[in-house]
């Protein structure tokens, strides 16, 4: 169950229960792996065809009363030759709303199956979702010893990551904004990508992004919040040691249009990596809250 607060309001004062008016509860999809030629996508067949330039995949899914028509996926190489960034783009073939969404992964990188599952689901709602490789082919792996994490994260130069991310943003602008399809972009981030979302919005200052959603951002720099001009939704659990609720409240106090939504009893990663039926239900509610935020502050403005 979620508790929410708008702007600078204290988090647990008169909590608002946010219901899910758009989607009925859905089963969590199984993890996808794009290294296989055919996999299951939420009970439907997913296949992709390799070409010399990139891989192409299509997925057809039905979400209760709503049809997730065809979703096309294309693996891309963005930027200058010799210094390019890998990424994948997922687009809704039918009912495409023309809006671009930048999705920033957690430390496990853009090829992680949980991240791709979530990106597919966002695309199923009509969006064009770009997921860049933030770590230049060197994501954190579960097979690595925990003791080496700080050494690994220290090698991920934040300025380089931000620069690469804006290279991806420039590509999206050329594809969607310059073509007159989308006036503004949206950005969604998890964990590492959740805090990176704040970096991107602070640097952008409302120029290109119409809405942002940060899921349990780690190592958030609260000083960035004064520069954020886009509506910002912050979602986490109150049992997450990597994303203290107090930090989210500090951020929200400085962002004019913001909301903090906290799920009682939830820890880190529950939205895109649910591990139990209870987390499934809260993950579903969080998804609907996110979708409503995108609709109100991005789709209606585009």
């Amino acid at each position: 169950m979620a508790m929410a607060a708008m702007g600078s309001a204290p988090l647990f004062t008169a909590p608002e229960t946010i219901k899910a008016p758009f989607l009925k509860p859905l089963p969590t999809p199984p993890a996808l792996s794009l290294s296989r030629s055919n996999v299951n996508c939420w009970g439907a067949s997913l296949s992709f065809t390799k070409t010399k330039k990139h891989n192409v995949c299509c997925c057809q899914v039905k979400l209760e009363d709503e049809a997730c028509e065809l979703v096309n996926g294309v693996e891309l190489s963005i930027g200058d030759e010799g210094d390019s960034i890998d990424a994948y783009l997922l687009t809704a073939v039918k009912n495409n709303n023309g809006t671009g969404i930048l999705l920033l992964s957690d430390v496990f990188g853009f090829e992680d199956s949980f991240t791709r599952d979530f990106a597919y689901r966002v695309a199923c709602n009509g969006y064009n979702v770009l997921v860049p490789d933030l770590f230049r082919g060197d994501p954190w792996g579960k097979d690595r010893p925990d003791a080496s994490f700080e050494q690994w994260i220290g090698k991920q130069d934040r300025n380089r990551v931000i620069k690469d991310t804006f290279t991806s943003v420039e590509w999206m602008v050329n594809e969607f904004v310059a073509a007159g399809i989308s006036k503004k972009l949206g950005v969604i981030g998890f964990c590492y990508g959740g805090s990176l979302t704040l970096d991107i919005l602070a640097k952008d200052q409302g120029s290109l992004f119409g809405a942002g959603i940060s899921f349990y951002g780690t190592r958030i720099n609260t000083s960035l919040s004064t520069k954020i001009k886009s509506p910002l939704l912050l979602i986490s659990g109150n049992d997450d040691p990597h994303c203290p609720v107090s930090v989210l409240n500090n951020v929200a106090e400085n962002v004019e249009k913001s909301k903090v939504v906290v799920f009682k009893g939830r820890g880190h990663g529950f939205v895109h990596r649910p591990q139990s039926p209870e987390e499934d239900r809260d993950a579903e509610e969080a998804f609907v809250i996110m979708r409503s935020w995108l609709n109100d502050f991005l789709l209606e403005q585009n």
Side-chain angles (χ1 to χ4, degrees):
M1 184 65 66
M3 291 173 285
M6 291 294 294
S8 59
L11 179 62
F12 293 105
T13 299
E16 171 193 353
T17 299
I18 301 180
K19 298 181 179 179
F22 302 106
L23 274 177
K24 298 178 181 178
L26 301 176
T28 300
L32 296 179
S33 172
L34 296 191
S35 63
R36 294 172 285 179
S37 58
N38 286 281
V39 298
N40 288 327
C41 179
W42 309 336
S45 175
L46 167 66
S47 63
F48 59 89
T49 305
K50 294 183 178 180
T51 68
K52 292 183 179 180
K53 292 185 178 181
H54 52 246
N55 296 335
V56 180
C57 55
C58 296
C59 167
Q60 187 166 11
V61 193
K62 187 173 287 284
L63 301 179
E64 294 292 340
D65 296 332
E66 297 178 341
C68 169
E69 301 292 350
L70 285 175
V71 173
N72 282 344
V74 181
E75 294 188 359
L76 304 171
S77 183
I78 298 171
D80 298 330
E81 187 174 352
D83 191 34
S84 60
I85 306 156
D86 290 335
Y88 67 92
L89 175 70
L90 302 171
T91 61
V93 176
K94 296 183 179 181
N95 301 323
N96 191 306
N97 58 37
T99 302
I101 298 288
L102 179 68
L103 195 150
L104 305 175
S105 73
D106 58 17
V107 296
F108 297 105
F110 84 124
E111 292 183 310
D112 177 76
S113 61
F114 285 98
T115 295
R116 293 207 171 190
D117 286 347
F118 195 91
Y120 266 100
R121 191 169 181 196
V122 175
C124 281
N125 282 268
Y127 293 97
N128 305 287
V129 185
L130 182 72
V131 189
D133 178 10
L134 302 177
F135 307 112
R136 293 288 185 117
D138 182 33
W140 178 250
K142 293 181 180 179
D143 58 336
R144 299 189 183 191
D146 292 343
S148 65
F149 181 80
E150 292 299 328
Q151 181 181 11
W152 172 82
I153 200 71
K155 293 180 180 180
Q156 309 303 323
D157 181 70
R158 193 74 166 189
N159 291 328
R160 190 273 303 161
V161 174
I162 293 172
K163 179 178 178 292
D164 283 356
T165 303
F166 271 98
T167 297
S168 299
V169 172
E170 182 181 2
W171 184 89
M172 295 182 75
V173 169
N174 291 335
E175 287 292 314
F176 304 116
V177 179
I181 300 174
S182 176
K183 294 180 182 178
K184 291 288 183 77
L185 304 171
V187 57
I188 301 169
F190 302 104
C191 315
Y192 180 94
S195 62
L196 182 61
T197 294
L198 273 64
D199 287 86
I200 300 307
L201 292 178
K203 190 174 180 66
D204 176 65
Q205 296 192 28
S207 175
L208 298 172
F209 287 96
I213 298 99
S214 173
F215 289 98
Y216 28 78
T218 55
R219 308 187 187 206
I220 288 176
N221 180 357
T222 57
S223 66
L224 295 171
S225 59
T226 58
K227 301 177 182 179
I228 296 175
K229 308 302 180 185
S230 304
L232 176 64
L233 174 63
L234 300 152
I235 297 179
S236 189
N238 69 342
D239 196 23
D240 186 344
H242 304 293
C243 182
V245 173
S246 59
V247 171
L248 301 184
N249 284 333
N250 289 339
V251 170
E253 287 176 359
N254 295 311
V255 181
E256 182 179 357
K257 294 180 180 179
S258 63
K259 176 181 277 189
V260 174
V261 179
V262 174
F263 284 80
K264 186 176 180 180
R266 293 293 161 249
H268 197 66
F270 73 95
V271 176
H272 73 306
R273 297 177 181 275
Q275 301 297 315
S276 68
E278 293 76 20
E279 288 193 350
D280 285 344
R281 288 193 291 269
D282 284 349
E284 176 61 28
E285 184 178 355
F287 186 90
V288 174
I289 293 169
M290 176 203 73
R291 191 170 68 165
S292 179
W293 191 265
L294 291 175
N295 182 75
D296 292 346
F297 295 106
L298 193 59
L299 284 186
E300 291 189 0
Q301 303 303 317
N302 277 340

